[in-house]
Every structure is written in C-alpha cells, then in structure tokens.
Amino acid sequence: MSFAEKLALFTLLLATLIFVHELGHYLAARLFKVKVLRFSFGFGPKLLGFTWGETEYWLSAIPFGGYVKMAGEDPTEEAGEGDSADPDRGRGFLEQAPWKRAVISAAGPFMSLTFPILICFFAFYFTATELSSRVGYAPADRPAYAAGIRAGDRIVEVDGKPTRSFLDLTEAVSPVWERPLSITVERKGELRRFSVTPELLEEESPIESLKRGAIGVMPAARAPVISVTSPQSPAGKAGLATFDRITDVDGQPVATFAELEELLAARSAGANATITVKAMRTRPPEEKSAPPKKAPPAQEEVTATLAPVEGAEGLAAYGLGSSDLALYSVKQGSPAFEAGMRKGDQLLSIDGEALAGRHAFQVKANRAGEQPIRVAWLHEGEQREATMAQRFVTLTDEFGNSSKSLLFGVAFDLRLESYVEGEMIPSTLTFGKALARAFEATASQVRQTAITIGALFTGQLSFKNVGSLITVYDITVRSAEMGWSYFLQMMGFISVNLGLMNLLPIPILDGFGILTAGVETVRRRPMSLRARTIAAYVGLVMVVGLMIMALRNDIVRYFFTNSSGE
C-alpha cells in the first residue's frame, strides 16, 4: 500500500467520524428549530459551497472532519439579544431551554457511539469468510486433549447448540467454567461425543480482570517445527536442528505437525523406514548488522536422510520431537540462565511433575511463585536438573504502565511461521445475528473505553497511553492492511473513543455543555457571560495541553523508541 493510499484511508476515516459526530448536533439543532448558520465538511477556507434555506453547506480545504455553526452559540453573545421583532429571536443556541441544549450537545456523542453499530454490522454481515470450528491444534496439557479431542476434529455441537465457526465455539464455551460440557465432533466422517470441563482463565490488564472458560483448542495448526532430541540421534547426525520446519518427507509435502506425526508413525512401522526430509531453517541475523527496519528473516533449505532407531516408533524413531517446550530464547541473568538453560533446550518437568505443554509450565511456575522449584530439562540429549527460584520484577511497557511479573527467564517459539492459518469457510451470518454481534461488539468497546478513560483520570493508567493523530494513522493503516472488515471495526473503535472523550465535562467539549445545562436547570438561571468566556479559555488550554502531551507521547514512541530496530 502506497503512502498516498494510506493517507487517503486515514483522511476518509477521520473525516467520516467527525462528520457523523457533527451531523448529530446538526439534526438535533434542526429538530428544536435552532438556526444553523453553517454545516461544513472539513475545516478552513471554503472550496465549494451552496446555501439551502437558511444554512450554508461548505466543502472546506482541510478534510479532517467538519463543524456546525449555530446562531447564538458564541459565549460573547448574550442570550436573548436582539430586537423582539426579529423573526430569528428565540432561535439561538443559548436561548434554548437547558434540556434542549443538553440534547443538542449530547447528539454528537450519541451519533459517535451508535455509528459503530452500523459499521460493525457491515463488517460482520458482508464478511465473505470466517474461521471454521475445525481444531487446528489441541495442546496435550489442556481440557480438550485430556477429554479425547484431537487436531483435525471439527466441533459441530456444544451442549446441543450447533457450532459452525470458531466464533460460535468461543461464544458457547466462554461463559462456562468448571462444569462439564457435552461436545460433539466430526472425525473422519464419524460423530463422536466428549465431556469436556472448561478451565477458568483469568486475564489481567492494567485496567481490569476478566474471567472466561476455555477448553484449550486453537483454529491455527502447529506447523511441522521440530526439536532434535540429541546430537547423537538420527536427526542430529543428519544435521537437522531444533526449530527447523519440515516441508516434505520423501517428496510428500507436510503442512502441519499433526500430519508429520501421522506420516512418520506409518513410515517407521514400514519395511523401508529410511526417509529423506527437506526442512527450512531460519538463519539468525549477523551481530550488529540489523537494518533500521526489520527485514524478513533469511531462510535456507536443509536436506537430510534419516534411518530409524530399532524398537522406536514415530517421531522418536528418528530422534525428533515437538518444539512446544523447546526454549527459543533464555534471558541472560535470569534464574533459568543462571541454572544453565540455553536456547534449544527442552523443558521436562517441575518438581517431578512432567510437563505436557506450555500451559502446564505456566500454571506450575505461577503456582510456585518465589519458592524454590526443581526443574528438569534436556540439553543436547543430556538430562539436567537444578533447583532455582523465580523472582518478581517490575516491567514497564512503552506506555509507561508498570506491572509486577515473575521472572523465569525463558521464551517459547511464537513466530508466525510456526503456525498454519486455520481453515476458512464461507460466512453464513444472518442479518439478525450480524446485527446482534454488532451491538455486542459496540457495547464491549464502549465499556472498555469508558474503563480506560476512568483509569487515566484516576491514575491507574499512565497518560503515556494517550496517542495523537500519529497513533490514529498507525492503527488505521495496520487495520486496513489486515482487510476491510478489520478497518471498519477499527473505525468503530475510534468512533467510540471520539464519542466518550467528548462527553468529558471539559469546557469546549460536549460533556461540559450537558453539565452546564444540568446546573442551570437546578439553579434556574443561565451562566454569566464572564463565566462562559473563562470556561471557554480554560477548556481550550486543557484540550491543547492534552493534544501536545499526546503528540509528545507519539514522537517518543514512534521515533525515539527502538529506533535501531534491535
């Protein structure tokens, strides 16, 4: 996507959202017969325009939104000013009853908060494809695998409710935990039923804690990324390495790790079990040669011939294993590094309990806290053990938010190329279901944004989280590159932010207009001209100050953080 295309999308998004916001004010003003002097699409000098009735309609030079100019809204104009014979007397904004002014002020945010329902509906209803309910990966340490569900199974029903897409599955499972669900899957043309008890997952963030049920399945499949059990194994002797990705076996393409397991199980049991494999290996960048912008990692093809070990089957016969618990990196100075763990090592157990997967490791490590634990791992085919203790460290993200976290010091392989995209199916969302999901998505966005704004003003979140138009441009481009559906949903998210921010009781924002209308209703007299003028200046200073701070945050974030690309 060219810069011109990115800029055009950004302009379209911003112009549309501010136009919709101002349209709310315009329609409410017309409803109460307030005189609208001008409705401008854009700011600055007029490019084109015409007058219809008593209102000027402008297309202005700066296309970032628009504005509505109403008669009598200038705080330097006294309400009710003018000749009693003037036909427009009583049609000024400040001449209206407080409740009418409150409605006119609230109409802009109302449009901004409801517009996402429409655009999210379009995003959902006109989406051509969605992820199917086929299981791409079922980790061995999660409830689904323990119950018997495997990669390749298609989940067709949860507690009697049909599931076709992965979103259907998520909606059926998320509200339930620690009670069994009846799950029906289709496996090789046959229906099988399993009883699965979702586990409770608690997701922490700087602003809230969320609970949901999960059975531990992923739509994305594990790619055939391997670990080599020992340098003396057939794979090790043939030159394969942990994190190589097998692409074919004896000329037969291999797409997923499950396919590799099935193929090698059959080959190791055959009369001629020697195989030739091809693998892709990612070469690490040379030291101190990383370009300013990260380039795609270099790849090289490796070909190896493997003869199986007698008496062994499947992956083990060739000295291969899953890379699920292989360490992709070990942080220097961490408890894991000091215990002797290095990249490529394979975790085996904690306190004598064998690890079946990454989730089990995380659960056991979190449960241990800072207490000493006995860890066993495999290093170049040799089993090692050490007693170590994690420690709490304070982490600060790019937005200035601090959090405490247990430091073990290892990271697993989370590269995109280590997974295979899940199965896509034609979307069959009905009008009603798409609309319901649009309401749910918008309500969720409103809730999360309101909590975030509250956390900013109570000090739970740093104001370094606030972004300027640079952030808006960045997330607009990123969402557009993911597809028009993501672009529309991001537009909805920004619209919600615009609506809620305008409801803040800051002078010159809509929230202050609503607040003053309420105060005037109670006091039974309007604000004085002096109070209005002072409030307008204070509000302007506050808003400009917030904009400068947001711009500073973005300049630091985008131009001075990790500028080396390392």
Side-chain angles (χ1 to χ4, degrees):
M1 188 183 299
S2 68
F3 175 74
E5 291 172 320
K6 294 175 182 178
L7 187 61
L9 280 172
F10 171 65
T11 303
L12 171 67
L13 179 141
L14 207 58
T16 300
L17 295 187
I18 301 180
F19 175 78
V20 167
H21 182 94
E22 295 300 330
L23 182 63
H25 295 309
Y26 172 80
L27 294 176
R30 294 295 299 266
L31 175 67
F32 294 124
K33 302 189 185 312
V34 172
K35 186 173 184 178
V36 179
L37 302 176
R38 183 181 306 140
F39 189 144
S40 175
F41 186 86
F43 297 106
K46 179 177 71 172
L47 296 179
L48 299 171
F50 63 92
T51 300
W52 185 19
E54 60 188 13
T55 304
E56 291 181 300
Y57 296 88
W58 282 16
L59 175 64
S60 298
I62 305 172
F64 295 136
Y67 64 90
V68 171
K69 182 178 181 181
M70 291 175 278
E73 66 176 339
D74 190 329
T76 60
E77 297 178 17
E78 288 285 5
E81 203 173 53
D83 192 326
S84 59
D86 185 350
D88 290 331
R89 181 175 175 81
R91 298 188 64 203
F93 175 73
L94 293 177
E95 297 177 83
Q96 304 306 305
W99 71 270
K100 290 184 179 180
R101 282 188 278 121
V103 171
I104 294 171
S105 296
F110 174 78
M111 287 288 281
S112 293
L113 294 174
T114 54
F115 181 59
I117 298 173
L118 175 64
I119 54 181
C120 283
F121 167 77
F122 278 107
F124 298 147
Y125 188 64
F126 292 103
T127 295
T129 60
E130 59 183 333
L131 283 167
S132 79
S133 58
R134 182 183 293 278
V135 177
Y137 176 42
D141 56 348
R142 305 300 295 277
Y145 188 94
I149 295 175
R150 296 292 182 265
D153 290 349
R154 186 187 300 278
I155 297 177
V156 296
E157 193 176 87
V158 176
D159 266 359
K161 182 179 180 180
T163 55
R164 184 174 180 274
S165 69
F166 202 80
L167 184 57
D168 291 337
L169 175 62
T170 302
E171 289 177 343
V173 172
S174 290
V176 181
W177 53 83
E178 298 175 353
R179 75 167 178 84
L181 290 173
S182 175
I183 297 183
T184 303
V185 308
E186 180 188 345
R187 180 183 298 172
K188 295 181 178 179
E190 296 181 2
L191 294 181
R192 300 191 183 190
R193 184 168 295 166
F194 300 95
S195 179
V196 185
T197 301
E199 60 191 348
L200 172 62
L201 293 186
E202 296 188 67
E203 299 173 346
E204 299 284 345
S205 75
I207 58 174
E208 63 177 336
S209 176
L210 297 176
K211 294 182 178 182
R212 65 179 181 89
I215 61 173
V217 296
M218 294 171 54
R222 289 275 314 285
V225 176
I226 58 163
S227 66
V228 174
T229 57
S230 167
Q232 304 307 315
S233 68
K237 291 178 178 179
L240 292 178
T242 297
F243 304 121
D244 285 351
R245 175 174 175 162
I246 304 296
T247 57
D248 75 62
V249 176
D250 288 336
Q252 181 175 340
V254 179
T256 68
F257 192 81
E259 288 180 13
L260 179 65
E261 283 185 298
E262 187 175 350
L263 181 58
L264 294 193
R267 291 303 305 271
S268 64
N272 182 15
T274 298
I275 59 173
T276 299
V277 302
K278 289 184 179 179
M280 295 303 296
R281 179 175 300 166
T282 300
R283 294 201 307 269
E286 296 180 12
E287 291 295 327
K288 299 181 180 179
S289 64
K293 293 185 178 180
K294 293 182 179 179
Q299 301 275 318
E300 64 176 318
E301 187 176 75
V302 178
T303 301
T305 299
L306 312 178
V309 175
E310 277 190 45
E313 297 179 351
L315 293 167
Y318 301 98
L320 300 175
S322 166
S323 64
D324 189 48
L325 284 167
L327 307 182
Y328 196 70
S329 66
V330 182
K331 184 179 179 63
Q332 287 196 23
S334 68
F337 188 87
E338 292 170 353
M341 297 180 202
R342 296 296 183 266
K343 180 176 180 177
D345 290 356
Q346 184 102 358
L347 291 177
L348 298 176
S349 67
I350 291 181
D351 287 336
E353 294 183 47
L355 296 172
R358 299 175 189 175
H359 182 72
F361 160 75
Q362 196 65 57
V363 169
K364 295 180 192 300
N366 286 343
R367 189 190 303 149
E370 293 183 293
Q371 297 300 313
I373 53 178
R374 189 75 180 165
V375 182
W377 70 96
L378 205 61
H379 175 78
E380 296 184 352
E382 174 191 347
Q383 183 169 326
R384 295 183 176 182
E385 287 190 10
T387 298
M388 56 177 284
Q390 301 175 101
R391 59 178 181 266
F392 277 103
V393 294
T394 300
L395 303 176
T396 303
D397 64 19
E398 61 179 317
F399 302 108
N401 302 309
S402 297
S403 61
K404 283 192 172 183
S405 176
L406 276 170
L407 176 66
F408 188 94
V410 302
F412 299 109
D413 182 13
L414 300 178
R415 297 171 299 163
L416 288 177
E417 58 263 36
S418 295
Y419 294 86
V420 178
E421 186 179 4
E423 178 187 67
M424 304 300 293
I425 57 173
S427 177
T428 56
L429 274 181
T430 63
F431 182 96
K433 197 166 186 178
L435 188 60
R437 284 187 179 171
F439 270 101
E440 290 169 6
T442 302
S444 177
Q445 289 173 350
V446 170
R447 175 181 168 278
Q448 291 176 12
T449 305
I451 291 173
T452 301
I453 292 173
L456 285 170
F457 285 94
T458 57
Q460 290 176 269
L461 275 182
S462 167
F463 266 92
K464 290 181 180 178
N465 288 270
V466 178
S468 69
L469 288 179
I470 297 175
T471 291
V472 177
Y473 172 83
D474 182 52
I475 62 178
T476 298
V477 170
R478 289 173 183 265
S479 62
E481 288 174 341
M482 294 170 67
W484 72 269
S485 178
Y486 292 97
F487 175 75
L488 289 179
Q489 291 179 64
M490 183 54 63
M491 181 184 284
F493 171 74
I494 297 172
S495 182
V496 165
N497 275 263
L498 176 65
L500 288 179
M501 288 297 291
N502 266 279
L503 285 175
L504 292 175
I506 297 174
I508 81 169
L509 295 184
D510 298 324
F512 188 75
I514 299 169
L515 176 64
T516 54
V519 171
E520 289 181 17
T521 300
V522 174
R523 295 176 68 234
R524 296 186 180 277
R525 66 175 185 270
M527 286 181 65
S528 67
L529 173 62
R530 177 178 172 77
R532 285 198 197 107
T533 304
I534 292 174
Y537 282 118
V538 170
L540 182 62
V541 170
M542 291 176 68
V543 171
V544 170
L546 185 62
M547 292 171 64
I548 292 173
M549 181 175 60
L551 182 60
R552 177 191 175 279
N553 290 343
D554 279 350
I555 290 173
V556 171
R557 186 178 304 135
Y558 289 101
F559 300 104
F560 292 98
T561 302
N562 294 326
S563 59
S564 66
E566 295 179 356

